[in-house]
Amino acid sequence: MKKYRIGIVGATGAVGQEIISLLEKREFPVAEARLLASANSAGRQMQACGNLETIQETTADSFKDLDIAIFSAGSKQSLEFAEASRQHGCVVIDNSSAFRMDPLVPLVVPEINPDDLEKHQGIIANPNCSTAVALMGLYPLHKRFGLKRFIASTYQAVSGAGAAGFDALENELKAQFVPEENSSTATKDSPFPHPIAHNLLPHIDDFREDGYTKEELKMKNESRKILGNPSLKVSCTCVRVPVYRAHSISLSAEFSQPVNVPDAKAAIEGFNGAELWDLPNANRYPTPLQYAEKEDCGVGRIRIDQAFDNGLSLWVVGDQLWKGAALNAIQIAETLVEKKCLKWM
Ligand SMILES: NC(=O)c1ccc[n+]([C@@H]2O[C@H](COP(=O)([O-])OP(=O)(O)OC[C@H]3O[C@@H](n4cnc5c(N)ncnc54)[C@H](OP(=O)(O)O)[C@@H]3O)[C@@H](O)[C@H]2O)c1
């Protein structure tokens, strides 16, 4: 079996660590795992794919002789190094938002739009974590009933803000943090503007002039691109919650055809990558604790929506470090290999 040389940019980060463990877990055929990070980590050693590897500083030359580079180091680093990777003939799978809306870059969830990979020109974008998880519940319903518009409220785990987000919650809980009255001060080194333990923050990414955050716009714009529907109407509120891992999303969606719950459940059951977990009277609905480190996204609380005509409400939970980042990226690599379209030049 052919094996591939893979660069992992951001190998020391929250997503990078999951990429290493999922490459092993899914037995991706790795000939070399090249661990790339910032100068701060260069020289440190780490186990990856059966070998003790030395972390290297990422430079334009880091991609020589690689087949695939999975970037998880932030948009700035992707913009700085992706082109160098491409020039070396090494296909980029990018977890940042840098290229997602570039019309020349496929934005792919392999269970939904794998054929878009055939058009790649050396850079492929991985979707925003909440968008990927939401679409794992919405897409099978879209195929069955025809999605017209949806409203999403997200409940996003702290590790969505990287290792620093995880540490912020852990430090606050360890210190038995109790927010002072009217306190708006986050703990030292926290990526959040307010305390996150015992709190909820309706604020992820920067605010725009229209009052939405950039994260909320990703749900609209990326859903449109992945589903191939540029006029899809989407409204979203993103909330950071004191949960370590796995994002949860409440969805109300309107469809063009009449809906019913049994057919909706059957559509979810028949969709690879989603698990129907929906027996409310037996307390069976997806939770972040249950879906952390699970490849499938859980879908439950499916019911007729009371505000939309032909509407369904549902609750989707998925591990954002996996389906929202590392797993989806590796599934893209696997699909490129299957489709024999790794090379574009
Ligand atoms: N966390 C999630 O759930 C999630 C989900 C979807 C997408 N993403 C995206 O994935 C990316 C990484 O997120 P994360 O959560 O893993 O962040 P993180 O835990 O903060 O990790 C950041 C990584 O980037 C590396 N890095 C920083 N500056 C660098 C430089 N100049 N050159 C090379 N590497 C550099 C860091 O290396 P050092 O250790 O050497 O500093 C570290 O490995 C972001 O674009 C994020 O938006 C994250």
Side-chain angles (χ1 to χ4, degrees):
M1 182 201 281
K2 182 167 165 40
K3 293 188 171 186
Y4 300 89
R5 292 157 301 182
I6 302 194
I8 301 156
V9 185
T12 54
V15 175
Q17 291 289 292
E18 300 299 327
I19 289 168
I20 294 168
S21 77
L22 283 173
L23 284 169
E24 292 170 4
K25 178 174 179 280
R26 292 176 70 87
E27 298 180 353
F28 190 90
V30 175
E32 176 191 344
R34 194 174 296 173
L35 306 186
L36 302 165
S38 76
N40 294 339
S41 305
R44 268 178 51 203
Q45 291 194 312
M46 198 185 274
Q47 283 290 339
C49 304
N51 294 311
L52 187 63
E53 302 286 354
T54 303
I55 298 166
Q56 303 172 27
E57 179 182 356
T58 313
T59 69
D61 289 332
S62 298
F63 307 95
K64 198 163 174 283
D65 300 326
L66 290 180
D67 300 302
I68 303 168
I70 305 181
F71 276 62
S72 318
S75 291
K76 185 169 164 276
Q77 285 69 31
S78 295
L79 290 167
E80 189 175 348
F81 296 118
E83 188 53 30
S85 175
R86 228 177 68 88
Q87 293 298 328
H88 279 102
C90 164
V91 65
V92 171
I93 302 172
D94 184 31
N95 274 306
S96 82
S97 58
F99 302 105
R100 288 181 191 149
M101 297 315 297
D102 183 330
L104 297 178
V105 173
L107 177 66
V108 174
V109 177
E111 293 89 342
I112 298 176
N113 59 337
D115 293 348
D116 287 358
L117 289 174
E118 290 162 17
K119 295 178 274 188
H120 84 84
Q121 292 297 308
I123 302 179
I124 295 150
N126 217 36
N128 164 260
C129 42
S130 292
T131 307
V133 171
L135 291 184
M136 292 305 288
L138 280 176
Y139 179 69
L141 302 177
H142 166 59
K143 288 232 309 190
R144 175 65 184 76
F145 304 115
L147 184 62
K148 268 176 78 175
R149 55 179 168 163
F150 71 90
I151 296 172
S153 299
T154 72
Y155 301 70
Q156 297 184 216
V158 290
S159 54
F166 191 97
D167 292 346
L169 178 58
E170 188 162 71
N171 291 339
E172 289 178 18
L173 290 175
K174 266 190 193 154
Q176 284 299 295
F177 182 80
V178 180
E180 288 168 20
E181 211 176 327
N182 299 324
S183 166
S184 59
T185 313
T187 49
K188 191 174 164 290
D189 297 331
S190 170
F192 309 121
H194 301 285
I196 186 64
H198 316 298
N199 213 358
L200 300 175
L201 310 180
H203 176 185
I204 299 179
D205 209 334
D206 298 332
F207 282 102
R208 299 158 22 110
E209 275 202 355
D210 61 6
Y212 285 88
T213 63
K214 287 185 182 170
E215 183 84 350
E216 289 162 352
L217 266 289
K218 290 172 196 166
M219 181 71 82
K220 177 175 89 178
N221 295 331
E222 297 182 23
S223 296
R224 287 177 168 185
K225 184 167 174 178
I226 294 164
L227 297 177
N229 179 356
S231 55
L232 181 69
K233 289 193 169 157
V234 178
S235 193
C236 181
T237 304
C238 289
V239 183
R240 184 75 67 195
V241 300
V243 162
Y244 280 114
R245 186 169 174 149
H247 289 355
S248 307
I249 300 141
S250 163
L251 293 157
S252 286
E254 187 180 43
F255 297 88
S256 53
Q257 292 158 40
V259 296
N260 67 78
V261 170
D263 284 0
K265 288 185 174 180
I268 300 292
E269 274 182 318
F271 185 58
N272 206 11
E275 179 177 67
L276 183 71
W277 197 250
D278 197 5
L279 265 184
N281 290 336
N283 299 330
R284 183 180 290 192
Y285 36 74
T287 65
L289 276 182
Q290 184 190 355
Y291 280 88
E293 297 193 43
K294 239 182 132 166
E295 295 197 354
D296 284 351
C297 295
V299 185
R301 299 290 319 277
I302 300 177
R303 58 209 190 276
I304 298 294
D305 187 86
Q306 296 193 342
F308 282 142
D309 293 332
N310 296 333
L312 289 167
S313 291
L314 58 149
W315 174 252
V316 188
V317 180
D319 186 328
Q320 95 290 345
L321 286 168
W322 282 20
K323 191 56 196 167
L327 172 64
N328 200 71
I330 292 170
Q331 288 174 315
I332 287 174
E334 291 166 350
T335 312
L336 288 171
V337 169
E338 262 164 46
K339 284 179 168 288
K340 299 188 176 35
C341 61
L342 205 54
K343 293 290 169 204
W344 72 98
M345 57 201 290

